[in-house]
Amino acid sequence: MTAEGHLIFSVACAIFSKKAELSPELAHGDWWHIIPGALLTSLLPDIDHPKSIIGQRLKWISQPIARLCGHRGFTHSLLAVIAGIMLFRAKMPADWVIPPDVMHAMIIGYLSHILADMLTPAGVPFLWPCRWKFRLPLLNSQKGNQLERVLCLFLVGFAIYWQQGAPIIDSLHLQSLSELLRTITSI
């Protein structure tokens, strides 16, 4: 997925997360904290690729990670999410506090990147170091990013439209998840 796709997808995930009240911090959080927090970390897993947007800016971090783990390795796993959460909890100075809603949004942004990469044929090793690839290949990067852009913008629009607390399928007036998938892939 492209950087543009990851950024748009993270906005959709942040909106869904707040409306679905995934945590009390997100449910009662400020939109001005949640959206920037998700955007801030939505490209971070690609630090393992020196030619990515973030990898080009932080080559001194990106190149060693790429050599050690390769692209879509550790940084695209649940273990990286857990390590990041533990790092923030253990190493932050007492006077430098990230608001809880921002912290939760940053986790959503990071996870949105991993989820978005699961939509590609390459998938991700979500349970790294186990090499199993988790994927639901709806997007094929060889066909350009038009489908990716349309899908991500559709998800943002739907996230805005979705009424908090309503089942997603009922919101779409569809009979089944398979009908939802057919609708998305026919765009």
Side-chain angles (χ1 to χ4, degrees), residues 99-136:
D101 57 346
V102 174
M103 180 59 120
H104 285 235
M106 290 169 66
I107 295 166
I108 294 298
Y110 197 98
L111 286 170
S112 76
H113 182 105
I114 295 170
L115 179 61
D117 280 349
M118 283 182 188
L119 299 177
T120 66
V124 297
F126 192 64
L127 298 176
W128 187 91
C130 179
R131 298 264 182 224
W132 296 335
K133 296 286 183 156
F134 289 78
R135 63 183 132 232
L136 177 62

Side-chain angles (χ1 to χ4, degrees), residues 168-170 172-184:
I168 290 178
I169 298 298
D170 288 351
L172 286 174
H173 307 292
L174 299 174
Q175 299 301 316
S176 68
L177 184 58
S178 62
E179 192 175 333
L180 171 63
L181 291 174
R182 277 195 302 269
T183 303
I184 291 172

Side-chain angles (χ1 to χ4, degrees), residues 5 8 14 26 33 39 53 85 109 112 122 131 159 175 182:
I8 298 169
L26 288 170
H33 289 168
L39 287 169
I53 288 177
I85 292 169
S112 76
R131 298 264 182 224
Q175 299 301 316
R182 277 195 302 269

Side-chain angles (χ1 to χ4, degrees), residues 11-34:
V11 170
C13 289
I15 295 168
F16 275 122
S17 298
K18 179 165 175 49
K19 285 187 168 186
E21 299 177 352
L22 286 185
S23 71
E25 290 79 8
L26 288 170
H28 302 296
D30 185 349
W31 284 108
W32 292 101
H33 289 168
I34 293 170

Side-chain angles (χ1 to χ4, degrees), residues 2-184:
T2 63
E4 174 192 21
H6 281 300
L7 291 168
I8 298 169
F9 193 79
S10 73
V11 170
C13 289
I15 295 168
F16 275 122
S17 298
K18 179 165 175 49
K19 285 187 168 186
E21 299 177 352
L22 286 185
S23 71
E25 290 79 8
L26 288 170
H28 302 296
D30 185 349
W31 284 108
W32 292 101
H33 289 168
I34 293 170
I35 299 297
L39 287 169
L40 184 66
T41 56
S42 66
L43 299 178
L44 191 54
D46 279 341
I47 192 76
D48 65 1
H49 192 298
K51 293 191 179 185
S52 68
I53 288 177
I54 195 165
Q56 290 175 7
R57 284 155 181 77
L58 299 171
K59 281 189 189 285
W60 60 277
I61 297 174
S62 182
Q63 289 175 342
I65 292 174
R67 275 190 227 109
L68 186 64
C69 303
H71 182 51
R72 290 194 183 182
F74 168 74
T75 64
H76 286 71
S77 72
L78 183 60
L79 187 59
V81 175
I82 293 168
I85 292 169
M86 291 174 65
L87 178 72
F88 265 99
R89 286 189 175 180
K91 298 293 180 186
M92 288 299 141
D95 60 338
W96 192 67
V97 178
I98 297 175
D101 57 346
V102 174
M103 180 59 120
H104 285 235
M106 290 169 66
I107 295 166
I108 294 298
Y110 197 98
L111 286 170
S112 76
H113 182 105
I114 295 170
L115 179 61
D117 280 349
M118 283 182 188
L119 299 177
T120 66
V124 297
F126 192 64
L127 298 176
W128 187 91
C130 179
R131 298 264 182 224
W132 296 335
K133 296 286 183 156
F134 289 78
R135 63 183 132 232
L136 177 62
L138 294 175
L139 301 172
N140 188 351
S141 59
Q142 279 74 28
K143 295 182 179 178
N145 67 348
Q146 278 303 88
L147 176 61
E148 174 184 303
R149 183 179 294 131
V150 168
L151 175 65
C152 292
L153 289 172
F154 169 80
L155 289 173
V156 169
F158 181 71
I160 292 168
Y161 166 78
W162 180 56
Q163 296 299 313
Q164 186 171 341
I168 290 178
I169 298 298
D170 288 351
S171 297
L172 286 174
H173 307 292
L174 299 174
Q175 299 301 316
S176 68
L177 184 58
S178 62
E179 192 175 333
L180 171 63
L181 291 174
R182 277 195 302 269
T183 303
I184 291 172

